[in-house]
Amino acid sequence: MRNNSSAIPRYLLILAVVINLAVFFYVNTRPANWTNDEILCHGFFWSADSIEDSHLHTGFRKTDWAKTFGVYYVDGSFRTRQFSYLLEMVSFKFWQQFGEVFFRNYTLIVLHAINVFLLGFLVYLLTKNKGLAAAAALFFLNSGPAIATLLYPFRNAKLLVVTLFLLAWIAAARSKKIPLSVYVFFLLAAFTDEQALFLFPMIFLYVFLRDGRGAVL
């Protein structure tokens, strides 16, 4: 008689995956009935003819590319977010073609989905355990902060810096020393959000604990 006891956990895992994907799809296809004034202001700024010209347009113009460096006009103060501004502007122009720019930020959903995959892959590289990697990805997919971020029309800086952080850690985990790509991701993250200054030291600490001081130096 065939023993089916070992198949039960597999079915439970499939069920968990299906439920989590269903929850993620349901939550992120519901209408969002509120707006973020900061996003409205940014959308107006990305649509302006130039930094100092408030006439509006759709699509790209040469003057739009300079806006990512007009940090004072964007936030009213100097912030190193030029890379996240660039993604925000490009994604705004893209979704604008479909009339979807204010009530739901699909760029956040795409970034979060990428981060879920990257986190699962990173956990697998660190543990060589597929089950643990899948569990980490599932927990992260519908975690409270993630769902709250995706439901509320917000800016991409916080999610984008996590994407760069995970990419850098994956690059470090696949190498015996800190590769050049880690520094490239760090540079991009430094111009994405200030959070990078707190996240990236963890990669150097990981390499130090794994391979010793020589690998870090």
Side-chain angles (χ1 to χ4, degrees), residues 18 26 56 59 129 163 179 198 200 211:
V18 171
Y26 177 82
L56 304 180
N129 188 317
T163 305
F198 300 96
F200 273 77
D211 299 323

Side-chain angles (χ1 to χ4, degrees), residues 108-152:
L108 296 182
I109 299 174
V110 172
L111 278 176
H112 180 62
I114 292 173
N115 289 344
V116 168
F117 172 78
L118 292 176
L119 177 63
F121 185 56
L122 175 61
V123 172
Y124 174 73
L125 287 178
L126 297 179
T127 65
K128 303 302 180 183
N129 188 317
K130 293 181 180 180
L132 189 60
L138 283 179
F139 278 120
F140 186 46
L141 178 66
N142 289 322
S143 63
I147 291 297
T149 299
L150 299 181
L151 282 175
Y152 191 72

Side-chain angles (χ1 to χ4, degrees), residues 40-212:
L40 292 175
C41 292
H42 278 234
F44 180 88
F45 182 69
W46 302 133
S47 298
D49 283 352
S50 67
I51 290 178
E52 298 179 349
D53 188 346
S54 60
H55 292 88
L56 304 180
H57 67 270
T58 58
F60 283 103
R61 294 186 180 179
K62 291 181 180 180
T63 54
D64 289 333
W65 301 105
K67 294 177 184 177
T68 57
F69 300 98
V71 292
Y72 179 79
Y73 294 92
V74 178
D75 279 320
S77 60
F78 179 78
R79 302 190 73 176
T80 56
R81 284 190 169 184
Q82 286 71 29
F83 188 61
S84 62
Y85 291 155
L86 178 63
L87 177 63
E88 183 180 315
M89 180 186 71
V90 171
S91 60
F92 175 86
K93 301 284 188 180
F94 174 78
W95 294 115
Q96 191 180 48
Q97 307 304 312
F98 304 94
E100 297 284 352
V101 290
F102 294 134
F103 295 104
R104 181 171 298 282
N105 192 337
Y106 290 99
T107 304
L108 296 182
I109 299 174
V110 172
L111 278 176
H112 180 62
I114 292 173
N115 289 344
V116 168
F117 172 78
L118 292 176
L119 177 63
F121 185 56
L122 175 61
V123 172
Y124 174 73
L125 287 178
L126 297 179
T127 65
K128 303 302 180 183
N129 188 317
K130 293 181 180 180
L132 189 60
L138 283 179
F139 278 120
F140 186 46
L141 178 66
N142 289 322
S143 63
I147 291 297
T149 299
L150 299 181
L151 282 175
Y152 191 72
F154 210 72
R155 296 171 63 185
N156 63 54
K158 301 299 183 184
L159 284 181
L160 181 58
V161 77
V162 172
T163 305
L164 295 170
F165 169 68
L166 291 172
L167 285 171
W169 197 335
I170 289 172
R174 301 182 69 180
S175 176
K176 292 299 182 182
K177 58 181 181 180
I178 299 178
L180 178 62
S181 57
V182 170
Y183 297 99
V184 174
F185 289 130
F186 191 11
L187 179 64
L188 292 176
F191 288 94
T192 295
D193 187 78
E194 298 84 353
Q195 193 179 44
L197 299 177
F198 300 96
L199 289 177
F200 273 77
M202 295 175 59
I203 297 176
F204 294 91
L205 177 61
Y206 158 75
V207 175
F208 173 78
L209 294 175
R210 185 191 65 180
D211 299 323

